[in-house]
């Protein structure tokens, strides 16, 4: 039994459903839809997954947003944050000597 089949069983997809998905022959699409599933509000995840693979559903906007946020947060890691600099109304005037 493959790792994909085990994941499908955890989602309560029947053996017939698993066979049906594998007969479609697109394991990449099954993996992709498994990756999107946590971002969907599926009441019956197993049944939803079968339809999503069959009809090649696009990624949910929550998945796209989550990827964007994670890339923004990692790009900020290189920002220099000098703890000695003060900002706001209590900060010293940089033009005063």
């Amino acid at each position: 039994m493959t790792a994909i089949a085990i994941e499908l069983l955890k989602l309560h997809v029947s053996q017939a459903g698993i066979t049906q998905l594998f007969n479609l022959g697109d394991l990449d699409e099954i993996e992709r839809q498994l990756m999107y599933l946590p971002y969907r509000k599926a009441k019956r995840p197993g049944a939803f997954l079968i339809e999503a693979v069959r009809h090649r559903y696009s990624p949910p906007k929550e998945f796209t947003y989550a990827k964007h946020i994670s890339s923004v947060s990692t790009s900020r890691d290189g920002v220099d944050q000098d703890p000695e600099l003060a900002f706001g109304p209590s900060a010293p005037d940089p033009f005063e000597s």
Side-chain angles (χ1 to χ4, degrees), residues 53-72:
V53 171
R54 248 192 229 148
H55 300 290
R56 296 178 168 271
Y57 289 179
S58 60
K61 64 183 177 190
E62 293 84 1
F63 176 78
T64 307
Y65 180 73
K67 277 182 66 173
H68 173 72
I69 291 300
S70 67
S71 69
V72 168

Side-chain angles (χ1 to χ4, degrees), residues 64-84:
T64 307
Y65 180 73
K67 277 182 66 173
H68 173 72
I69 291 300
S70 67
S71 69
V72 168
S73 66
T74 57
S75 67
R76 293 174 129 190
D77 292 343
V79 175
D80 184 24
Q81 296 180 358
D82 189 352
E84 297 175 16

Side-chain angles (χ1 to χ4, degrees), residues 1 4 18 24 32-33 50 61 68 79 82 86-88 92-93:
M1 190 169 286
I4 295 174
I18 293 171
L24 292 173
R32 194 172 10 265
Q33 294 299 335
I50 291 172
K61 64 183 177 190
H68 173 72
V79 175
D82 189 352
F87 296 99
D93 188 350

